[in-house]
Amino acid sequence: MEAPRWWTVRRAHSNRPATYRCPFCGGLLHAMSEHMVIAPEGDVEHRRHAHSECVAAEHRAGRLHTYDDWRKAQPRKRWFRR
Ligand SMILES: [Zn+2]
C-alpha cells in the first residue's frame, strides 16, 4: 500500500477491555487509556489506534500529516483549475 498523503486523527478512549498495538512504537496500548485513532486518508476500515504521544511525535517530525496540513501544502492552482 502506498503511504497515505494524510491521516484523520481523533482522540479516543473506550470502555472495551481491548488492547491495540501502536503502529509507531510497536508497544501495546489499552483501549481504556486516552489515545488516538488515525485513519489513512479518512479510510476508517484501516484505522489504527496509537499512543497520543507517538502521534504527536510523528507529527512534529513531519512524518504524519493531518488533512489540514496536507491541504495547506497544496498549490492553490489545484483548487482553481479551469
Ligand atoms: Zn506508541
Side-chain angles (χ1 to χ4, degrees):
M1 192 174 114
E2 261 183 68
R5 292 165 298 173
W6 50 269
W7 297 79
T8 54
V9 178
R10 66 176 178 81
R11 286 181 185 281
H13 70 271
S14 80
N15 296 320
R16 287 193 296 155
T19 52
Y20 302 104
R21 191 169 289 280
C22 174
F24 300 119
C25 70
L28 294 175
L29 72 88
H30 297 280
M32 285 181 271
S33 68
E34 180 83 20
H35 65 277
M36 298 285 197
V37 171
I38 60 171
E41 301 192 7
D43 180 0
V44 295
E45 296 271 299
H46 294 105
R47 68 186 178 276
R48 305 292 303 270
H49 295 258
H51 296 117
S52 301
E53 58 272 24
C54 292
V55 172
E58 289 295 301
H59 189 245
R60 274 197 307 274
R63 288 191 294 264
L64 182 149
H65 306 287
T66 64
Y67 177 70
D68 281 348
D69 294 338
W70 176 78
R71 193 182 51 182
K72 279 180 206 145
Q74 298 312 298
R76 289 181 73 84
K77 66 177 191 280
R78 183 186 175 91
W79 305 106
F80 293 96
R81 196 164 51 196
R82 283 168 224 257

